Amino acid sequence: MAGRSIIFHVVLPLCLVLQATMATDPPFSCGSPSSYPFCDRKLPIGQRAADLASRLTVEEKVSLLGDVSPGVPRLGVPAYKWWSEALHGVANAPADRAGVRFDDGPVRAATSFPQVLVTAASFNPHLWYRIGQVIGREARGIYNSGQAEGLTFWAPNINVFRDPRWGRGQETPGEDPTMTGKYAAVFVRGVQGYGASGAVNSSGLEASACCKHFTAYDLENWNGVTRFAFNAKVSEQDLADTYNPPFRSCVEDGGASGIMCSYNRVNGVPTCADHNLLSKTARGDWRFNGYITSDCDAVAIIHDVQGYAKEPEDAVADVLKAGMDVNCGDYVQKHGVSAFHQGKITEQDIDRALQNLFAIRMRLGLFDGNPKYNRYGNIGADQVCKKEHQDLALEAAQDGIVLLKNDAGTLPLPKQKISSLAVIGHNANDAQRLQGNYFGPPCISVSPLQALQGYVRETKFVAGCNAAVCNVSDIAGAAKAASEAEYVVLFMGLDQDQEREDLDRIELGLPGMQESLVNAVADAAKKPVVLVLLCGGPVDVTFAKGNPKIGAIIWAGYPGQAGGIAIAQVLFGEHNPGGRLPVTWYPKEYATAVAMTDMRMRADASTGYPGRTYRFYKGKTVYNFGYGLSYSKYSHSFVSKPPASMMASKLDGLKLKAMESSASGATISSYDVEEMGEEACERLKFPATVRVQNHGAMDGKHPVLLFLRWPETKGNGGSSGRPARQLIGFRSVKLRAAEAKHVEFEVSPCKHFSRAAVDGKKVIDKGSHFVVVGDDHDEFELSFMA
Ligand SMILES: *[C@@H]1O[C@H](CO)[C@@H](O)[C@H](O)[C@H]1NC(C)=O
Ligand SMILES: *[C@@H]1O[C@H](CO)[C@@H](O)[C@H](O)[C@H]1NC(C)=O
């Protein structure tokens, strides 16, 4: 491990110097003894927020409705900055507006976890929760150090990764709504300082998380259509079973204190101006308790780009009356007072928003005197980048790496015996690339090349391409290096010039001359080569899958500050890979067959539309959702299988009435879940126990995935039908070599057997349902019939 100790020698002394710098007090209100009711901790937060609002003029109130919110010195209220980022670690935001600063205090870096899609690939909610916890703690440490003017973080991004070209798919937990919802809930709980499960506490936020972008936002800039102008046409059914469930879970199960409404319109209405979405659905149906921010400049575009509002004041009225509270941008600050004078908004509209904003700052403890002496006061700068946090970043990278191909034991590489190694690819030599987007300065910075140099002294690096675009290449140089080395590892894939915010991909293949380079290197090499893919969105690597000279393929995504080390550990067998793909990898043709603007999830055979994600797409794939190999083989089987008639006895006496509907020319009978009621749903739950065994010689962490599938019947597979399969449970299990364990899942038919009907209603179809586990597809059938 010579290489690794070199790395730490470079980094450590720097941290020590920085921690010796003086810290200042964080901003807060209600420091000196005060008779203002808004400072009285014994009063309910709503009352305190209303009291503070009542002391302000209309002009002052409006001035507080932008992300850069000035102070009110006469009341001892400091300025506040609503905009901070923490997608996979506390991150940078635009310097003049960011709530968090890394440039003037004791904290100069924060733990950088893998980009979310990689973390998701662990299928491990406990890991996701712990990452959220670390982020919340580091955020509070930075605030207490006097380096922040805000504690509201605009993460997680929980839009479903609907189309493989989406530039921001990398930021999300993938294409499955249930998994995305689970990620949202546990991440938010961690960040906000809540327990991993159980009731959420509305006061005492450690930091505030924000579910974004509400809703049906997953297009940046494709074929001339921008996210600002895009009108997403979404059916009630797709909204109910794909686009909205992550947000519902983020709010109901996570207790999120923030929501961001998106740029796009949904069925003609800008989301930030949609009362039905913000007030009726989120605040009403889901009991959302928190603040709603616009995406940045999303209020301005309602007038400027979308033309939805005739005058700027109409846009202000639309959003405040819909239920939005703070505008990222200054449009409401600029046009709010005139909207008031024109009678387009009332003072009550302003107060409603303002009180939601004050309530969050109060829940964060910023109106209780110096936060250094309060609940989270003992969290200081020394908590940021501490060893446990960095270890967790390494664990997340290890567990997220997905082994896609491993012919004839190409991997792991023999650690002690390698005489020479060629490392090829521009991606290998750049530690920052490992971060993806939305990152801050990481605690350590190690490129994959540096990490590999720690294992093999004779390592030769050839970039081979100028960048991911690869329109300038040195194929001959790369092939020569490959022919001279004993082993060859290629680092190919994408970067932020190919996929990012504001930029979707056009094609699904590796860009430019990358394929030619990989093939030439594989041809020239002495042994089958290893291909490591650094990218967020999936790439079509069919050429590599079928090439026997490419012995192994690994997807490492953008694995964060410890990603280079984790990749090396996987390559040399110090870690047994267990990650699973959280998205479908489609063939290149998918990009020509499907318009990114088409929001329909379900396939439509009549027009050849293939549908989206593993739930609805039945065409050819490069790799499936949930796919991933390991250095171990695992088996799964249900410990006992209930008789198909078990449901009938549970349903006995419930007097359920099925209703008939027709789809694609067939009649379906189903039960309305809401009508069944909570008590019945409780009674229907049952446990399913799976025996999992590691048949390999290495210990491993293994995700166990439980699916529901339905029989293929006429009417149900069509354009309005149910998914082919649906993930209903997953758990990461640690298994020593040869060890077997029992894993128990709770199956709730109301949740897991149900589907969204055309009108969005949750129903359970009469008839067969199959519960399926693992790659070996052990399953049992239950018949739902009252
Ligand atoms: C909620 O948080 C408050 C403030 O920290 C604390 O006093 C209270 O005991 C907590 N309640 C629960 C149920 O955990
Ligand atoms: C390579 O692609 C980049 C990005 O599209 C472009 O700016 C550059 O001019 C191209 N270089 C060559 C040599 O084609």
Side-chain angles (χ1 to χ4, degrees):
M1 296 298 109
R4 230 180 301 168
S5 59
I6 291 168
I7 291 147
F8 287 126
H9 283 143
V10 176
V11 175
L12 271 182
L14 190 65
C15 299
L16 294 176
V17 172
L18 294 173
Q19 277 174 12
T21 328
M22 285 296 291
T24 49
D25 273 340
F28 59 87
S29 299
C30 306
S32 43
S34 154
S35 56
Y36 290 128
F38 70 79
C39 288
D40 185 350
R41 297 178 187 213
K42 290 192 287 299
L43 293 178
I45 296 258
Q47 201 175 321
R48 294 172 68 186
D51 174 70
L52 176 51
S54 75
R55 294 170 192 281
L56 306 178
T57 65
V58 166
E59 286 74 14
E60 283 172 329
K61 289 177 184 182
V62 168
S63 78
L64 294 175
L65 300 182
D67 64 293
V68 177
S69 173
V72 188
R74 69 187 162 81
L75 296 173
V77 175
Y80 188 83
K81 289 183 175 164
W82 286 92
W83 186 355
S84 295
E85 298 287 351
L87 181 67
H88 53 110
V90 179
N92 291 314
D96 50 334
R97 292 161 72 174
V100 169
R101 299 180 306 274
F102 284 106
D103 58 359
D104 68 342
V107 180
R108 297 293 168 125
T111 307
S112 165
F113 292 95
Q115 183 60 294
V116 178
L117 196 64
V118 178
T119 296
S122 70
F123 281 81
N124 185 352
H126 185 56
L127 173 72
W128 306 339
Y129 172 70
R130 287 183 292 148
I131 288 173
Q133 264 189 320
V134 166
I135 290 173
R137 202 163 300 144
E138 295 201 348
R140 187 54 85 153
I142 294 171
Y143 195 88
N144 286 344
S145 307
Q147 282 180 245
E149 290 173 87
L151 269 173
T152 35
F153 292 85
W154 292 348
N157 179 348
I158 52 166
N159 295 109
V160 163
F161 195 167
R162 168 187 66 97
D163 189 293
R165 291 162 285 191
W166 186 28
R168 301 184 74 177
Q170 56 178 309
E171 299 175 29
T172 75
E175 72 183 24
D176 182 76
T178 307
M179 182 177 170
T180 301
K182 184 73 187 173
Y183 177 87
V186 297
F187 177 84
V188 165
R189 280 172 172 271
V191 170
Q192 296 193 162
Y194 297 160
S197 59
V200 292
N201 190 344
S202 75
S203 58
L205 290 170
E206 184 167 9
S208 165
C210 170
C211 327
K212 73 186 185 186
H213 314 78
F214 194 38
T215 190
Y217 167 82
D218 50 31
L219 173 148
E220 301 301 306
N221 190 337
W222 178 84
N223 204 21
V225 181
T226 72
R227 54 186 178 159
F228 309 121
F230 183 49
N231 177 22
K233 293 191 188 118
V234 185
S235 71
E236 286 298 328
Q237 192 178 29
D238 286 340
L239 209 56
D241 74 359
T242 296
Y243 296 106
N244 276 351
F247 290 93
R248 180 172 190 161
S249 173
C250 195
V251 168
E252 289 188 338
D253 305 330
S257 55
I259 287 178
M260 176 184 286
C261 47
S262 54
Y263 289 119
N264 56 289
R265 284 168 287 171
V266 174
N267 300 325
V269 185
T271 59
C272 293
D274 191 342
H275 182 270
N276 191 45
L277 195 62
L278 306 187
S279 294
K280 190 172 161 293
T281 302
R283 289 197 197 277
D285 298 346
W286 304 343
R287 308 210 170 289
F288 170 63
N289 171 25
Y291 78 102
I292 301 178
T293 180
S294 75
D295 205 333
C296 295
D297 297 325
V299 182
I301 64 165
I302 292 174
H303 171 262
D304 299 351
V305 179
Q306 298 171 344
Y308 181 84
K310 275 208 174 64
E311 303 295 332
E313 289 79 7
D314 296 321
V316 171
D318 287 342
V319 297
L320 289 182
K321 288 188 186 291
M324 194 203 83
D325 303 312
V326 67
N327 172 205
C328 178
D330 57 8
Y331 205 74
V332 171
Q333 289 165 318
K334 271 188 185 151
H335 302 290
V337 174
S338 54
F340 173 73
H341 289 309
Q342 291 171 17
K344 289 179 172 166
I345 54 171
T346 64
E347 194 158 0
Q348 285 75 38
D349 294 327
I350 301 171
D351 284 343
R352 186 204 55 73
L354 197 57
Q355 287 173 30
N356 284 332
L357 297 177
F358 286 145
I360 291 294
R361 293 169 67 178
M362 289 170 180
R363 287 167 63 188
L364 285 163
L366 306 184
F367 281 77
D368 297 338
N370 192 336
K372 271 180 158 172
Y373 305 108
N374 294 338
R375 181 170 176 179
Y376 296 111
N378 61 351
I379 303 174
D382 59 339
Q383 294 287 305
V384 188
C385 287
K386 76 173 179 184
K387 182 169 182 308
E388 291 88 331
H389 298 182
Q390 296 203 46
D391 288 348
L392 189 63
L394 176 60
E395 182 184 336
Q398 289 170 335
D399 292 355
I401 290 173
V402 183
L403 180 62
L404 295 170
K405 175 181 180 180
N406 193 16
D407 279 357
T410 301
L411 291 178
L413 301 176
K415 201 170 12 179
Q416 262 75 39
K417 301 184 210 114
I418 294 192
S419 60
S420 61
L421 179 70
V423 177
I424 291 164
H426 54 283
N427 270 345
N429 195 22
D430 187 339
Q432 181 163 315
R433 274 205 212 308
L434 302 179
Q435 302 231 63
N437 64 359
Y438 283 93
F439 55 85
C443 315
I444 59 159
S445 193
V446 184
S447 72
L449 177 62
Q450 286 172 309
L452 290 173
Q453 283 165 338
Y455 289 80
V456 183
R457 190 187 304 250
E458 283 298 311
T459 295
K460 177 151 196 213
F461 169 68
V462 178
C465 291
N466 54 333
V469 63
C470 200
N471 53 4
V472 181
S473 69
D474 173 19
I475 294 181
K480 180 165 181 292
S483 70
E484 290 165 2
E486 188 185 3
Y487 287 91
V488 177
V489 182
L490 288 131
F491 286 82
M492 294 287 136
L494 306 173
D495 63 18
Q496 303 298 310
D497 293 331
Q498 302 294 316
E499 53 172 353
R500 63 159 188 268
E501 182 158 4
D502 227 16
L503 181 69
D504 298 311
R505 278 187 296 157
I506 302 295
E507 296 168 346
L508 296 180
L510 288 174
M513 291 177 265
Q514 285 197 41
E515 267 189 33
S516 311
L517 176 84
V518 174
N519 283 329
V521 164
D523 271 342
K526 293 176 181 157
K527 294 189 166 77
V529 301
V530 178
L531 173 61
V532 179
L533 298 168
L534 295 176
C535 55
V539 284
D540 180 352
V541 288
T542 304
F543 79 97
K545 211 178 149 181
N547 183 347
K549 292 178 176 156
I550 299 169
I553 307 175
I554 281 177
W555 177 73
Y558 299 117
Q561 69 169 46
I565 294 166
I567 291 168
Q569 290 177 337
V570 167
L571 292 178
F572 286 98
E574 289 175 8
H575 181 81
N576 192 356
R580 301 258 155 171
L581 293 179
V583 284
T584 304
W585 285 34
Y586 302 88
K588 288 175 186 168
E589 303 77 58
Y590 190 85
T592 40
V594 178
M596 219 186 145
T597 45
D598 195 327
M599 300 296 286
R600 287 175 301 163
M601 295 301 297
R602 289 161 167 83
D604 184 352
S606 69
T607 60
Y609 181 69
R612 296 177 176 281
T613 77
Y614 81 92
R615 290 160 62 230
F616 300 105
Y617 170 77
K618 291 181 193 150
K620 243 178 46 193
T621 62
V622 180
Y623 292 111
N624 290 334
F625 173 87
Y627 178 79
L629 305 170
S630 163
Y631 298 150
S632 294
K633 285 239 174 320
Y634 297 91
S635 64
H636 318 75
S637 55
F638 288 106
V639 170
S640 65
K641 297 182 184 183
S645 62
M646 180 184 77
M647 271 299 126
S649 57
K650 283 182 171 279
L651 289 163
D652 204 27
L654 282 179
K655 295 203 178 69
L656 301 185
K657 238 184 98 206
M659 45 192 188
E660 314 246 289
S661 61
S662 69
S664 314
T667 302
I668 309 165
S669 297
S670 38
Y671 304 93
D672 183 326
V673 171
E674 205 176 315
E675 264 175 33
M676 286 166 59
E678 267 176 44
E679 215 184 296
C681 285
E682 263 321 294
R683 197 205 297 182
L684 294 176
K685 287 181 181 169
F686 64 94
T689 307
V690 178
R691 183 181 185 278
V692 199
Q693 183 164 5
N694 178 352
H695 297 278
M698 276 180 85
D699 301 352
K701 264 195 226 169
H702 174 63
V704 181
L705 275 51
L706 197 69
F707 288 91
L708 186 85
R709 76 166 182 89
W710 287 274
E712 293 260 353
T713 47
K714 193 163 181 284
N716 272 332
S719 57
S720 60
R722 54 198 181 194
R725 294 188 296 151
Q726 170 65 56
L727 184 69
I728 61 171
F730 53 94
R731 185 94 43 82
S732 171
V733 189
K734 250 189 207 166
L735 291 165
R736 301 208 159 279
E739 189 184 13
K741 270 186 187 163
H742 285 188
V743 188
E744 190 174 302
F745 293 92
E746 183 185 70
V747 181
S748 161
C750 289
K751 239 203 230 157
H752 301 141
F753 289 13
S754 60
R755 65 176 180 95
V758 175
D759 60 2
K761 254 199 188 139
K762 237 170 139 179
V763 298
I764 302 182
D765 291 341
K766 210 165 175 172
S768 290
H769 302 257
F770 297 86
V771 179
V772 190
V773 71
D775 303 328
D776 24 18
H777 303 296
D778 193 28
E779 66 175 29
F780 62 84
E781 176 184 359
L782 288 173
S783 177
F784 202 95
M785 205 156 313

